[in-house]
Amino acid sequence: MGTEYMHTMALIRALRFLACALPFLLGFSAVLLNASYRRPLWIDEVTQFVFGAEPSTAEAWSLFLSIADTIQHGHTGIYIMLNYWTLNYLGLETLLLRLPSIFSGLFLLSAAILLFRTLGFSVLWQVILVLALSGQHMLLYFMGEARAYVPIAAASMGLLLFYVAYPMHPASRAVLLLGIVSAVLGATIHPYFAVYWPAVCLVAYVHRVATTEEAVSLRGLILFSRPWLVALGAGLYLLLAAITWLRGHPVFSYDPFQWLWAVGPLTHFTDYSHTQFLDGRYLKAAAFTLIAVAGALLLPIRLRGAVGALCAPILLMLLSIGISLLLSWISYRANYWILPRQWVGSVALFAVGVVWLWAEAAKIWSRLSPLLSLTAAAIAVSLVFGQAFQIHRLRVAELRARLAEPSLALSASDCTPVTRLDTSAMTNDQRNDAFVALANRNVACGGRVWPVFRAYYRPG
């Protein structure tokens, strides 16, 4: 009898561990499947790759500073330096060039899952959250792209988790480290982070006030923001800004909507970005959200309890949309392109806000009947599963196709390091194509980044 009991308990513990690990397994598999394994580099990534040809970190940084207010305008240079270090100290491989984005994707999914655990939501809702994030095609794409956009989302999610968790665990060194890492990553990786930090802090403060019934005050918000952390982040942010992107930028005369006209600005803003995870089921999602939230508010007070918890996710959704519109407006005012990649941070936070709102409403309904909560979860799954599954199927097919492609047949002469490329008779597009082809050949050959790439930003 004792042995059977021990076996039963061991089985229960194993099942519990698997259930707890399931959201992470799903999230990590989504990130790795979108890591762009064996996908050739393209010009936007090559503009990062070429820094790897510099002989030292100092020279790579000096090169960036020389073009920080022109070609590389609007960047802090930190992502480029991470690329330089991965290529020169870990090896010449496309995955290594994209490693900062891949790690940021893993950090983002982990922080989102842990946020839901901290909020007290079940494993089922954590899985729904992962499915929603896995249904955001643009977000997943940039997890496998050597560009500094997913780190913005990752740092924002990390800070949101920190601000929610820190008041509950003020003595936790792990939570403290999370806040410091998120703040430093966000403050140094991209200028856009300046608008995401106060947004996630305000959302967490609203959640704190709603769940503890503390009095709302400006002093309370300032203390809640952890001034020492703000000072650290702001100091790093302003220091980097002063020597890089804040020095200025070229005068632009582009059509801000040039890259949006193909399908229309509204379609880009919804179907192709913020609400893509809903797979076009907007009426069903709106009806479900309205019924879930309004119904929860109409329950008797003894059943609904504190409904203020619904405010934080609603605020997160509104601020996410607002930030995307603000960044687009800044581009519009500067006569620069409005680019969907500017919204990557908001795309992640908006999906989290929607699922968070559903989960909070379901928690209220569960006080009336657990079956109602399960029904809400089932409807949520039906809303987010389709798009996540389509993207998963597409990525699997792409990966199989790339794995089936034969490796490039390169001779010893093909892999002789190239030191010079005559581009004098080439158009700009032809020059870019030539450097892209050389970069992919360089990756296939391995070794170090070839000296020819030092000429990319030093033509003539």
Side-chain angles (χ1 to χ4, degrees):
M1 184 70 178
T3 304
E4 289 181 4
Y5 175 77
M6 291 178 63
H7 287 166
T8 302
M9 292 305 297
L11 179 60
I12 291 173
R13 284 194 293 270
L15 291 174
R16 185 177 297 169
F17 173 79
L18 288 174
C20 291
L22 180 61
F24 291 100
L25 293 174
L26 291 174
F28 290 1
S29 65
V31 174
L32 297 178
L33 194 57
N34 287 272
S36 302
Y37 179 64
R38 295 190 68 175
R39 191 190 78 192
L41 300 176
W42 70 298
I43 186 58
D44 280 21
E45 292 181 304
V46 170
T47 61
Q48 315 270 97
F49 175 86
V50 298
F51 284 88
E54 297 301 308
S56 67
T57 295
E59 288 178 84
W61 181 246
S62 177
L63 173 61
F64 172 76
L65 290 180
S66 71
I67 55 176
D69 54 353
T70 54
I71 301 172
Q72 288 289 347
H73 63 89
H75 293 279
T76 65
I78 297 303
Y79 194 99
I80 288 173
M81 296 312 300
L82 292 174
N83 285 157
Y84 177 84
W85 293 326
T86 55
L87 291 176
N88 281 277
Y89 298 117
L90 298 180
L92 194 59
E93 166 59 53
T94 55
L95 277 182
L96 294 176
L97 182 71
R98 297 159 179 156
L99 198 61
S101 291
I102 295 170
F103 277 171
S104 294
L106 295 173
F107 184 87
L108 166 64
L109 267 296
S110 299
I113 294 166
L114 291 173
L115 171 67
F116 267 41
R117 290 197 176 178
T118 304
L119 292 169
F121 298 135
S122 68
V123 170
L124 177 56
W125 281 106
Q126 294 165 35
V127 169
I128 294 170
L129 172 66
V130 171
L131 289 174
L133 290 171
S134 300
Q136 298 287 56
H137 177 275
M138 185 170 69
L139 176 66
L140 294 177
Y141 173 80
F142 281 102
M143 289 181 187
E145 175 92 357
R147 308 296 297 280
Y149 295 105
V150 171
I152 303 171
S156 301
M157 196 67 68
L159 269 187
L160 179 58
L161 171 59
F162 166 76
Y163 280 122
V164 170
Y166 190 76
M168 303 178 190
H169 311 282
S172 172
R173 293 182 180 179
V175 174
L176 184 62
L177 180 62
L178 169 71
I180 294 172
V181 169
S182 299
V184 171
L185 172 64
T188 59
I189 206 69
H190 203 282
Y192 291 172
F193 188 66
V195 290
Y196 284 103
W197 188 333
V200 296
C201 179
L202 181 60
V203 168
Y205 179 68
V206 168
H207 171 76
R208 178 68 178 174
V209 168
T211 53
T212 62
E213 298 183 356
E214 293 179 5
V216 178
S217 68
L218 179 60
R219 181 176 182 276
L221 175 59
I222 292 172
L223 292 176
F224 182 84
S225 71
R226 312 302 160 193
W228 59 269
L229 187 63
V230 174
L232 172 64
L236 291 171
Y237 184 89
L238 293 174
L239 175 63
L240 268 176
I243 61 176
T244 57
W245 61 272
L246 202 55
R247 286 161 35 192
H249 60 75
V251 176
F252 302 111
S253 56
Y254 302 137
D255 172 9
F257 298 98
Q258 178 177 340
W259 301 108
L260 304 181
W261 289 129
V263 296
L266 182 60
T267 301
H268 267 293
F269 199 79
T270 55
D271 295 350
Y272 287 10
S273 56
H274 297 80
T275 59
Q276 187 176 32
F277 69 102
L278 295 172
D279 197 22
R281 298 181 175 91
Y282 300 140
L283 287 178
K284 182 179 178 181
F288 169 59
T289 304
L290 181 63
I291 292 171
V293 174
L297 294 174
L298 293 174
L299 286 174
I301 295 177
R302 62 183 178 81
L303 290 175
R304 71 171 184 252
V307 295
L310 297 171
C311 296
I314 292 173
L315 181 62
L316 180 60
M317 293 159 58
L318 293 175
L319 289 176
S320 299
I321 296 297
I323 289 172
S324 290
L325 292 174
L326 172 63
L327 296 176
S328 298
W329 180 79
I330 292 171
S331 288
Y332 178 82
R333 292 286 296 172
N335 293 314
Y336 189 68
W337 299 309
I338 298 172
L339 299 169
R341 66 182 183 229
Q342 298 168 340
W343 310 327
V344 169
S346 297
V347 164
L349 292 175
F350 183 80
V352 171
V354 171
V355 180
W356 183 358
L357 178 62
W358 292 344
E360 286 287 6
K363 186 188 291 185
I364 295 172
W365 279 105
S366 68
R367 298 181 186 126
L368 183 62
S369 170
L371 184 60
L372 291 173
S373 178
L374 287 174
T375 302
I379 296 172
V381 169
S382 72
L383 287 169
V384 302
F385 178 79
Q387 184 65 22
F389 181 71
Q390 287 181 42
I391 293 175
H392 173 84
R393 188 169 55 181
L394 176 64
R395 289 293 176 265
V396 169
E398 290 175 348
L399 181 59
R400 285 176 175 170
R402 285 197 293 267
L403 291 174
E405 292 175 356
S407 300
L408 289 176
L410 298 170
S411 63
S413 60
D414 290 328
C415 290
T416 300
V418 179
T419 58
R420 188 175 181 278
L421 177 66
D422 184 8
T423 61
S424 57
M426 296 182 185
T427 65
N428 187 61
D429 287 344
Q430 290 172 335
R431 182 176 183 271
N432 284 338
D433 290 343
F435 273 105
V436 168
L438 272 179
N440 284 303
R441 198 172 98 199
N442 191 176
V443 170
C445 291
R448 298 185 64 83
V449 180
W450 290 340
V452 66
F453 293 105
R454 297 196 71 193
Y456 183 79
Y457 287 117
R458 304 181 181 93

